[in-house]
Amino acid sequence: MDLAVGTLYKTQVTAHVTDGADVVVAGAGTAGCVAAIAAARTGSDVLLVERSGYLGGMMTSGNAGLTKYIVHEKSQTDYREVVKQLATDPASVQVVGGIPMEITQRLIDSGAGIATNGQPGSYVFTSQADFKYLLLEMMEEAGVRLLLHSLIVDVAMNGLSISGIVVENKAGRQVILGRTFVDATGDGDVGALAGAPCVVGVAPGDLAADSGTPLGAMHPMGIMFRMGNIDMQSCFEHLFEHPEQFVPQPFALMALAEAYESFRRGDMMTINITGIGHRFQIYNTPAPGVFTLCCPSFEGDGLSAEDLTRGEIALMHEVRKRIGEMKRELPGFENASLLDCPELCVRETRHFRGEYVLTIEDILSMREFDDTIGKGCHPIDTRPVPEALKQYPLPHRWSFNIPYRALVPKSVDNLLVAGRCISCTHEASGCIRPTVQCMITGEAAGVAAAICAEHGTPARELDTGNLRATLAAQGVVL
């Protein structure tokens, strides 16, 4: 047949029903991995489906850090008190427990993660290869079955329930059956295919929309690249001589001297440097001389292959440009080399419309919910931030609560969502999307999915008291 650009090509593809499980988790990033472990430990037969050949998502492929574990303070003085308490009484300032904390402690104890006073604080940066292996170990310990190299392309529906997900891999198309499903794909691919209502980026009613930001605008994509052979001692000496080039990182309020002492101790360190063309962040890693740098960005649509392609190309050029600036202008970087320029990070696309839409007002005011399934503590990290929120008077030792209803999308009975695609506003997504918060929603979604699968209960009808009791028994901070 004759084909032309812009016309439709229709085909039929045979898909074999090849597997099934009580709980099928789609996506093996931080949210999906924790969801799978949690569901399996609750007693379900679990299958975790992932498009790549490894576990961990942006943590193991994108050089991201684990953040954030401790209550937030806006001033350096108050932040120092939190860090002191982290060393002597960590439970009094940490709002993270359960499987996310277990994973983090195993990374730290093995030397694959770098902490603050020996404890997870604002950031934990890791060895990516060791993190991949730890997740594999934990899947095997829990009895989670894996299907890698499989892209989800469709769903099979039975009324308002998903019967199975359709994947494409080297064997062709396959159908994976399940009783309950967890969408942890980041972009909400399963829910969108199933017809769950969602918005993309800034939506009507969001504060950003009311402030004039175009509907559909999304937080820019970014890239975190790793460099080796950096002489950080020389870099610090330069910064002490030129303190105007140092800017405290806003989510870990270290002064220059504090960052240097953390570096000398081998603790987690983060600094911002400006004045050499571009402002950038530096984080240390468990490997001596190896640092993660952040974050060139690209404005685009994370659901568009064309935009993703343009973003990959533009950011690779930008990374090379910035490396050249650093090598020429920043002492300690003269002999540095690029170790990894990974796939770009998509920070925001779909937000489902669930039984509850979590708003930034809920988050900043520390609103209590009867169905809270975990806490977060990451400040707003999305752009643009409406002017009214920039000086919002955060309470002392601020954290926030996440309701179960935000994990339950409307219109689909046996689906839960976890990670950055949960039901929230554009501004709230800036607090939800960081890695530790994704793990927290993952654990709740995994436990809920296991309970729903066992009893044949639609997700919106789940007894949240039973869910919260199970999570509390697993060490989740409620």
Side-chain angles (χ1 to χ4, degrees):
M1 65 181 288
D2 292 331
L3 295 176
V5 174
T7 61
L8 295 176
Y9 174 67
K10 185 176 181 180
T11 184
Q12 287 185 320
V13 180
T14 299
H16 296 280
V17 180
T18 60
D19 207 343
D22 296 332
V23 175
V24 177
V25 179
T30 50
C33 283
V34 174
I37 295 168
R41 288 183 179 179
T42 308
S44 284
D45 173 37
V46 180
L47 181 65
L48 176 59
V49 181
E50 166 59 32
R51 67 182 175 90
S52 67
Y54 53 85
L55 306 176
M58 295 309 298
M59 279 301 310
T60 57
S61 69
N63 300 321
L66 290 166
T67 179
K68 185 173 190 262
Y69 298 84
I70 53 175
V71 292
H72 184 68
E73 295 284 12
K74 293 189 76 170
S75 75
Q76 282 190 338
T77 300
D78 289 335
Y79 178 76
R80 289 188 191 104
E81 291 304 312
V82 171
V83 171
K84 288 178 184 176
Q85 224 164 319
L86 186 63
T88 58
D89 184 17
S92 66
V93 291
Q94 289 170 334
V95 299
V96 181
I99 295 170
M101 185 61 83
E102 178 187 344
I103 290 172
T104 308
Q105 290 291 1
R106 288 176 69 161
L107 287 166
I108 293 169
D109 292 346
S110 69
I114 191 165
T116 303
N117 288 327
Q119 288 286 333
S122 290
Y123 290 93
V124 173
F125 272 74
T126 68
S127 158
Q128 290 88 341
D130 290 330
F131 200 173
K132 286 181 185 178
Y133 188 70
L134 172 62
L135 290 173
L136 179 61
E137 276 188 323
M138 294 185 72
M139 296 299 164
E140 293 173 342
E141 292 165 3
V144 175
R145 296 184 290 121
L146 303 177
L147 181 65
L148 306 177
H149 297 287
S150 296
L151 178 67
I152 297 167
V153 295
D154 205 353
V155 295
M157 298 294 294
N158 180 14
L160 295 180
S161 293
I162 300 172
S163 298
I165 58 171
V166 183
V167 301
E168 185 93 37
N169 56 33
K170 292 294 185 181
R173 287 208 172 184
Q174 301 172 339
V175 180
I176 311 298
L177 302 179
R179 301 181 68 185
T180 307
F181 296 81
V182 177
D183 187 341
T185 59
D187 293 322
D189 295 331
V190 174
L193 290 166
C198 63
V199 298
V200 177
V202 175
D206 288 352
L207 293 180
D210 295 342
S211 300
T213 301
L215 296 180
M218 301 174 220
H219 192 293
M221 309 177 218
I223 196 166
M224 300 181 73
F225 56 101
R226 276 187 306 142
M227 295 181 69
N229 203 32
I230 293 173
D231 181 357
M232 188 53 65
Q233 177 68 33
S234 294
C235 181
F236 270 113
E237 290 172 2
H238 168 78
L239 290 175
F240 280 119
E241 293 177 2
H242 301 276
E244 72 281 358
Q245 289 188 241
F246 170 79
V247 181
Q249 206 277 353
F251 306 143
L253 298 170
M254 292 181 172
L256 178 57
E258 292 167 333
Y260 178 61
E261 287 305 313
S262 293
F263 165 70
R264 282 172 51 86
R265 291 195 306 268
D267 274 4
M268 185 64 233
M269 171 222 75
T270 173
I271 57 175
N272 278 6
I273 297 179
T274 189
I276 59 165
H278 293 87
R279 176 169 163 174
F280 60 95
Q281 300 166 14
I282 304 178
Y283 305 87
N284 55 343
T285 74
V290 176
F291 296 81
T292 295
L293 291 93
C294 176
C295 295
S297 62
F298 177 82
E299 301 274 356
D301 181 351
L303 298 177
S304 161
E306 291 79 11
D307 276 13
L308 289 168
T309 301
R310 286 192 287 269
E312 296 282 8
I313 295 168
L315 289 177
M316 191 169 291
H317 284 306
E318 184 65 21
V319 166
R320 290 285 177 173
K321 175 184 175 183
R322 296 194 185 194
I323 288 174
E325 291 172 347
M326 288 183 275
K327 288 170 71 72
R328 288 191 303 270
E329 301 179 35
L330 190 59
F333 281 72
E334 298 90 345
N335 299 312
S337 59
L338 179 65
L339 299 179
D340 182 25
C341 186
E343 180 179 321
L344 60 74
C345 168
V346 176
R347 295 184 172 101
E348 180 184 23
T349 51
R350 297 186 183 100
H351 305 301
F352 286 106
R353 283 301 175 248
E355 295 300 310
Y356 187 83
V357 178
L358 186 65
T359 69
I360 194 62
E361 293 90 345
D362 294 332
I363 285 177
L364 295 180
S365 66
M366 302 174 64
R367 180 174 177 179
E368 300 283 349
F369 298 98
D370 291 339
D371 60 342
T372 292
I373 48 78
K375 293 181 178 291
C377 49
H378 202 287
I380 305 171
D381 186 13
T382 192
R383 295 201 298 269
V385 177
E387 199 65 34
L389 296 178
K390 292 181 179 179
Q391 300 301 322
Y392 197 95
L394 286 182
H396 180 56
R397 300 214 166 179
W398 171 84
S399 63
F400 60 89
N401 302 293
I402 305 170
Y404 169 71
R405 287 165 294 160
L407 312 186
V408 183
K410 291 182 178 293
S411 304
V412 183
D413 286 342
N414 61 339
L415 176 66
L416 290 128
V417 296
R420 62 179 170 86
C421 62
I422 73 167
S423 179
C424 65
T425 63
H426 166 76
E427 296 82 22
S429 73
C431 302
I432 290 294
R433 68 168 183 80
T435 45
V436 172
Q437 284 67 212
C438 286
M439 291 199 291
I440 290 166
T441 58
E443 181 161 11
V447 172
I451 297 172
C452 289
E454 180 182 1
H455 299 287
T457 305
R460 67 182 50 82
E461 296 178 14
L462 177 68
D463 178 356
T464 56
N466 181 27
L467 170 62
R468 281 165 51 84
T470 305
L471 291 170
Q474 294 183 354
V476 174
V477 178
L478 299 175

